[in-house]
Amino acid sequence: MTLKQQLLAFMNRESDRVPFMPIFMRYCAGFAGLRYRDFVLDPRAHCAANTALAGRVGSCWVNTMSDPYCELDAYGAEIEYVENDLPLNEVILCPEIGDLERLPEPRLPDNRRTAGRLEQIREYRRTCAGEYLITGWVEGPVAEYCDLRGIGNAFLDFYDFPDRMHAALENITATAERFIDAQLDAGADCIGIGDAACSQIGAELYRDFAWPGEKRLVDRIHARGALAKLHICGNTTAIIPLMIATGADIIDIDHGVRDMSPFVRLLAPHQFFCGNLDPVTVLQNGSRTDIAAAVRTVLAQAPGRLILSGGCEITPDTPLENLTVFHEPA
């Protein structure tokens, strides 16, 4: 049985083997000896690094993740691709609310970042189709809005320009739908939706501004017969019921959520949590005993409904041995 089949068997209640799906980005580049700019911009290098690491640590998936600026680049932002660090976005593309209304529709096939993501998925189809869950990615509506406006401006817009913000979120969501379709056409099995800023806005704003777009994206993914994964960093305790209500198949839970057990009863039969070990205190700095104890704790909180992962990205300084220990219970 392939790793992808093991994951799907677990999700279909046909296996009790726990899937293992850590988020690898900077760690993956370091493992493969790549400069981070090449990991971001070279589709074949990105895919080779992911498949090599997945094979080494027993991960069930490969993904296209590296940074949050893929779509932002396509909108025309001036992204600086640092040689061996995360890309930088130091110039706000839309400093005034009216700039959003004049923003041209991104030409996704012509931009090097969005076209590169499609090439990553095609490369995965060529090299490991059926072995791993091939996962594409889009920025969630609020996360992309924050990238376009700057997070400070964006958070004021909730109160100062709610109607204009809703209109912009509608356009952003429509663009994300097109990008989802392109990635699924390229061969993705699953699409992740990253809406990180939503852990900072509270349940009311999340319900009114973020949730409708996320639900629409999940519905689009499901209409195409693929799996949807929703990732929101931070302490999402207040919005977990709404995250579940999007219908996403895989709902990432960060380590800021101390107890998942109260929310398990809200999951539909097709839904699973993914998480939520602390990437630094436990997975990077913990002992073998610490990691094993933490894994037992989270599995007990969501028995049969949890895919093992860190709460967020595995840090570059995590010892490989710690990942081996992390994988053992799976």
Side-chain angles (χ1 to χ4, degrees), residues 12-303:
N12 291 326
R13 305 294 198 278
E14 297 168 356
S15 170
D16 59 0
R17 180 167 181 172
V18 180
F20 187 61
M21 292 179 62
I23 295 174
F24 294 120
M25 293 189 287
R26 291 173 298 164
Y27 187 94
C28 188
F31 174 83
L34 288 175
R35 296 180 303 175
Y36 205 69
R37 182 169 59 200
D38 294 333
F39 184 76
V40 172
L41 297 178
D42 184 335
R44 292 198 172 188
H46 180 102
C47 293
N50 268 274
T51 51
L53 181 57
R56 175 64 178 82
V57 301
S59 177
C60 292
W61 73 325
V62 289
N63 66 69
T64 61
M65 301 166 69
S66 61
D67 66 286
Y69 298 144
C70 179
E71 293 99 308
L72 189 63
D73 191 302
Y75 276 109
E78 298 177 5
I79 310 298
E80 180 184 356
Y81 291 99
V82 183
E83 180 176 0
N84 204 25
D85 206 340
L86 293 168
L88 297 176
N89 173 38
E90 296 183 335
V91 179
I92 296 174
L93 185 60
C94 298
E96 303 296 332
I97 187 73
D99 296 333
L100 288 168
E101 295 154 7
R102 295 184 288 273
L103 202 62
E105 179 71 21
R107 293 177 58 84
L108 300 176
D110 298 332
N111 174 263
R112 64 174 173 174
R113 290 299 312 278
T114 47
R117 181 160 294 174
L118 302 182
E119 180 54 33
Q120 287 172 357
I121 294 169
R122 288 190 287 266
E123 178 70 8
Y124 283 138
R125 297 305 300 182
R126 286 192 292 266
T127 59
C128 60
E131 178 65 19
Y132 303 103
L133 189 79
I134 299 171
T135 303
W137 206 265
V138 295
E139 291 301 300
V142 167
E144 190 61 32
Y145 188 97
C146 289
D147 287 342
L148 289 165
R149 282 280 284 138
I151 196 166
N153 294 331
F155 279 20
L156 291 174
D157 290 349
F158 285 118
Y159 300 98
D160 294 341
F161 305 109
D163 291 341
R164 297 172 82 176
M165 188 172 185
H166 275 299
L169 289 168
E170 172 73 20
N171 292 334
I172 289 168
T173 303
T175 298
E177 286 181 313
R178 293 198 298 118
F179 198 24
I180 284 168
D181 284 343
Q183 291 180 71
L184 294 176
D185 289 343
D189 304 307
C190 175
I191 300 291
I193 302 165
D195 224 354
C198 292
S199 63
Q200 305 299 306
I201 63 177
E204 183 177 349
L205 291 178
Y206 177 76
R207 181 194 64 226
D208 294 344
F209 288 88
W211 188 88
E214 290 176 1
K215 178 68 165 65
R216 184 169 146 190
L217 297 181
V218 169
D219 288 347
R220 183 67 160 239
I221 295 164
H222 284 165
R224 294 289 307 272
L227 296 175
K229 176 180 170 75
L230 178 60
H231 180 89
I232 300 176
C233 305
N235 186 349
T236 56
T237 302
I239 63 172
I240 287 175
L242 288 166
M243 293 172 67
I244 293 170
T246 64
D249 305 275
I250 302 171
I251 299 158
D252 285 4
I253 305 293
D254 205 346
H255 72 280
V257 178
R258 297 302 182 188
D259 189 0
M260 296 176 281
S261 57
F263 306 104
V264 173
R265 62 180 177 81
L266 302 178
L267 295 170
H270 73 282
Q271 292 182 297
F272 295 81
F273 288 146
C274 184
N276 70 333
L277 276 72
D278 186 326
V280 177
T281 302
V282 175
L283 295 178
Q284 175 183 294
N285 298 334
S287 66
R288 171 182 286 270
T289 301
D290 295 333
I291 296 169
V295 169
R296 287 195 298 270
T297 296
V298 297
L299 289 176
Q301 289 179 10

